[in-house]
Amino acid sequence: MKDVELRRMGSAHAFFILAIMLSTFIPTFILDNFSVLGAHLSWLWICSLSVAAVNIVLYVLLKTTPSPKRNSFSNKVSRLLKSCVYFLLSSLLFHGIIVLYGAPLLELILETFSFAVLLSTFTTLRCLCMLGPNFPAWIRVFSRNGAMSIWDSSLQITTVCSVIGAWLGAFPIPLDWDRPWQVWPISCSLGATFGYVAGLIAAPVWIHWNRKQLNYKSR
């Protein structure tokens, strides 16, 4: 395993964390009375767009996805359209799962969908940028011993941490503490964000300490 590749991944993860920090602090200087709790719906979209922009820029610069055999203009357009459809379907799927786990069905539907978009940005969009709209590759990465590179391992860790963070964030909602951050879906979206950041930090650290045991092979 090359140290330079690990450093590239660490730098990329630092940009993701920076995007989340900037999406939290910069709007307070631009928008009146902006806060993560008070204007949470706006923050969800700002954070999603910021992380999505970093994902796309890093995808273009780092080229972590192998170039397809057919790289014509029509093929690129087809991949882009497929990626957009995959992202939309992912957001709708997350929305449905969130409702099944107890979110309001009709009330606060925009908040629920915005939270689903945030989750898709943390998980599905990274899959699309790193693996392309290739569902068999996604299944391979998330199967046991399916990682073929440190980027695959990073994808596994950040995705799992994001979902677990969102799940843990739901626990305080039914408690009768009457806190502002218990309003749906604040605690869940913050939990997903903290989980995502924790995964971004943990992934390079875990890979570094376990690199002697990791043996990536092409399949």
Side-chain angles (χ1 to χ4, degrees):
M1 183 190 304
K2 296 182 179 179
D3 289 340
V4 64
E5 195 71 9
L6 190 57
R7 286 196 294 269
R8 289 176 70 204
M9 188 187 69
S11 299
H13 286 198
F15 279 110
F16 287 124
I17 296 174
L18 180 62
I20 293 174
M21 293 176 62
L22 293 178
S23 67
T24 302
F25 293 110
I26 287 183
T28 59
F29 299 102
I30 301 175
L31 304 175
D32 294 333
N33 301 320
F34 178 88
S35 67
V36 174
L37 299 183
H40 193 67
L41 183 60
S42 299
W43 177 82
L44 283 173
W45 286 100
I46 294 172
C47 185
S48 297
L49 290 173
S50 300
V51 175
V54 173
N55 260 304
I56 295 171
V57 170
L58 291 178
Y59 161 72
V60 174
L61 294 178
L62 298 180
K63 298 185 183 298
T64 57
T65 305
S67 299
K69 295 180 180 179
R70 292 181 299 172
N71 204 25
S72 62
F73 177 76
S74 60
N75 184 252
K76 290 180 179 179
V77 172
S78 177
R79 284 169 58 86
L80 176 61
L81 292 177
K82 285 182 180 180
S83 297
C84 292
V85 171
Y86 274 41
F87 184 81
L88 177 59
L89 291 176
S90 169
S91 300
L92 294 173
L93 178 61
F94 272 125
H95 185 101
I97 293 173
I98 293 167
V99 170
L100 291 176
Y101 268 88
L105 178 60
L106 298 177
E107 297 179 1
L108 303 175
I109 188 170
L110 181 58
E111 285 78 358
T112 302
F113 183 72
S114 300
F115 171 44
V117 170
L118 182 74
L119 269 179
S120 292
T121 304
F122 290 161
T123 57
T124 305
L125 185 60
R126 290 208 73 197
C127 290
L128 290 169
C129 289
M130 296 173 65
L131 304 174
N134 184 354
F135 196 66
W138 297 16
I139 296 176
R140 185 263 303 164
V141 167
F142 290 101
S143 63
R144 184 177 181 181
N145 299 323
M148 294 169 54
S149 68
I150 63 172
W151 297 98
D152 289 351
S153 296
S154 165
L155 187 59
Q156 292 173 343
I157 294 171
T158 55
T159 298
V160 171
C161 286
S162 300
V163 174
I164 292 178
W167 178 66
L168 292 176
F171 280 79
I173 293 179
L175 303 178
D176 57 352
W177 296 344
D178 196 26
R179 302 296 184 183
W181 49 266
Q182 288 180 279
V183 177
W184 174 256
I186 294 178
S187 62
C188 287
S189 57
L190 291 180
T193 304
F194 285 127
Y196 180 61
V197 171
L200 291 172
I201 296 172
V205 174
W206 184 87
I207 293 171
H208 174 76
W209 285 106
N210 292 276
R211 56 183 176 176
K212 292 183 178 179
Q213 289 75 33
L214 296 175
N215 184 22
Y216 297 118
K217 296 181 179 179
S218 299
R219 290 177 174 82

